[in-house]
Amino acid sequence: MFLDTVLTRNTPLVDTATALHRSGAVPPDTYVLDADAVGANAALLATEADRLGLTLWFVVKQLGRNPELIRAIARHIPAFAAIDPSEARLLHATGARAGNLGHLVQIPPRDLPEMLAWRPEAVTVFDLANARAVSAAAVELGLVQDVLVRLEGAPGSVYPGQEGGVPLEQLDAFAAEAERLPGIRIAGVTAFPCVLCDPVTRLPAPTPTFELAVKAKDLLASRGHRDMKLSAPSATSVATLPLLAELGATHGEPGHSLTGTTPLHAVDPHQPEQPAYVYVTEVAHTLADGRPALRGGGFYARSGVREALLPRSGVRLPVQPSPAENIDYYRLLDAPERASDARVGDTAVLAFRTQIFVTRSTVAVVSGLSAGSPRLTGLYDAHGRAL
């Protein structure tokens, strides 16, 4: 999906990943990340957000919650949006500031006292039960916590496994109850996804869910709530920030743009953000019909992977599709007539959309690429723990 882009924009990363695998410094099934590019992308996003008067909360699930990369991002974007408690704890321990907690996964009530004590800028709540839990924990701590109301997505736009939120038609009643809770203040709304790239034009466009969030913000303002935040996550990048500002958002939550891997980057290698990772693995064996099998572990189901580069022979071979319900022990290449191009142990470099935190991959961080002096600075698991 991103192989053309990374070969156009960040060839040194491909060369470094290849050399690291060939030397044995990284194992197969490793994402190699360019810390310099991640930091530079964060700086670009921060500059454009400042120009437009937007605030950013960065997201790191897709890059494996990696502490080195968190520090590189936080130098430019200080506050994070954490998708779940384990991610929030790692981000907090790394020194980043808590922006939005609970924006995809609600915080369990038992964890609220610990996390509210960090004084996050906002906590997202999906329903009254969670709002009451946040209020009770805040009262115990002697504070009032700002909350964002998660809106239920427009029909047909909600991803399976991400259901929940307050329906727009029930928001008035929700607000009436939440306003009575002493430990919270309704500070705004959020929803997901708010921006998607059109599958035909490949251009970013607001979703019907974004429209609902804008209406929700206006409804709450009519009830007397002032300075309402509207966080509009999904596909947040330098290219989409003007759209967020134009439509009334106050916050964006960049994730894939930090590694130059939004859908826009797949079709336009000239997007401002630089591609910042590749996936490196190796040929494990060859089938009787000549098809090479790559070692797996990091093939995310929605990756859009298309080709693998085999640097020894210089060929690019198609990657065969594989059902999402199967474990990716291996991934087959479609080239039985060119079996000599792929030998057991050969390095394979790929670039595709991923969510590293749901893989079983190793993460290798490389610094110094921008200065022409790359060095491997650490190996981690997919959840940011040092190996």
Side-chain angles (χ1 to χ4, degrees), residues 5-383:
T5 302
V6 75
L7 286 170
T8 301
R9 295 284 306 280
N10 201 348
T11 306
L13 174 59
V14 176
D15 295 340
T16 298
T18 300
L20 288 171
H21 174 259
R22 284 176 173 169
S23 71
V26 304
D29 180 26
T30 293
Y31 285 96
V32 181
L33 284 113
D34 178 350
D36 295 5
V38 170
N41 291 341
L44 285 172
L45 286 156
T47 298
E48 180 67 357
D50 286 346
R51 185 183 73 83
L52 296 166
L54 293 169
T55 299
L56 298 180
W57 292 322
F58 70 89
V59 179
V60 294
K61 62 188 175 70
Q62 74 289 341
L63 51 79
R65 301 168 170 173
N66 188 275
E68 288 191 56
L69 301 176
I70 290 168
R71 287 189 286 269
I73 296 163
R75 283 194 285 270
H76 307 283
I77 305 172
F80 61 81
I83 67 154
D84 59 24
S86 59
E87 182 168 290
R89 289 189 179 97
L90 191 150
L91 283 154
H92 177 70
T94 306
R97 192 172 75 233
N100 182 14
L101 303 183
H103 87 147
L104 284 181
V105 179
Q106 291 289 269
I107 303 171
R110 66 176 62 87
D111 294 328
L112 283 167
E114 171 195 0
M115 295 185 181
L116 296 190
W118 304 342
R119 301 307 303 267
E121 295 174 35
V123 172
T124 293
V125 293
F126 283 45
D127 57 18
L128 270 172
N130 278 281
R132 292 186 181 110
V134 173
S135 177
V139 168
E140 286 294 315
L141 292 169
L143 55 87
V144 176
Q145 175 63 54
D146 280 358
V147 298
L148 300 183
V149 182
R150 161 72 173 247
L151 265 291
E152 183 180 67
S157 70
V158 179
Y159 298 139
Q162 297 186 25
E163 300 87 353
V166 179
L168 182 63
E169 62 272 16
Q170 297 177 23
L171 181 59
D172 203 50
F174 172 93
E177 291 294 324
E179 287 160 2
R180 297 189 181 100
L181 298 173
I184 64 170
R185 184 185 78 90
I186 296 177
V189 297
T190 188
F192 187 88
C194 288
V195 176
L196 291 176
C197 292
D198 185 279
V200 177
T201 67
R202 304 297 180 96
L203 296 175
T207 65
T209 295
F210 199 161
E211 297 172 20
L212 292 179
V214 172
K215 291 177 181 177
K217 180 185 175 187
D218 292 342
L219 187 154
L220 291 172
S222 73
R223 294 185 61 89
H225 297 282
R226 297 290 175 258
D227 302 320
M228 288 283 94
K229 297 180 176 69
L230 196 173
S231 186
S234 185
T236 305
S237 68
V238 169
T240 65
L241 287 175
L243 178 64
L244 267 59
E246 177 187 346
L247 295 178
T250 62
H251 289 66
E253 300 182 13
H256 281 286
S257 57
L258 294 165
T259 49
T261 53
T262 76
L264 287 174
H265 293 84
V267 297
D268 181 6
H270 304 295
Q271 287 293 308
E273 299 93 344
Q274 186 178 17
Y277 70 75
V278 293
Y279 181 67
V280 62
T281 188
E282 68 185 26
V283 177
H285 59 274
T286 302
L287 275 62
D289 64 8
R291 286 177 294 168
L294 301 182
R295 298 186 188 276
F299 287 99
Y300 177 59
R302 295 171 56 214
S303 67
V305 61
R306 297 192 183 103
E307 288 186 311
L309 169 67
L310 302 180
R312 180 188 61 80
S313 58
V315 300
R316 290 169 60 169
L317 301 179
V319 179
Q320 292 192 337
S322 180
E325 61 268 22
N326 287 24
I327 299 172
D328 66 328
Y329 296 113
Y330 303 104
R331 198 68 184 265
L332 295 177
L333 302 182
D334 187 14
E337 74 283 357
R338 302 187 63 174
S340 63
D341 290 332
R343 303 172 185 165
V344 169
D346 271 357
T347 302
V349 178
L350 305 94
F352 49 80
R353 186 175 178 86
T354 190
Q355 297 281 350
I356 293 177
F357 83 114
V358 298
T359 73
R360 53 189 193 277
S361 302
T362 298
V363 175
V365 178
V366 173
S367 296
L369 269 171
S370 61
S373 54
R375 62 190 184 281
L376 179 65
T377 57
L379 291 176
Y380 301 83
D381 70 9
H383 295 278

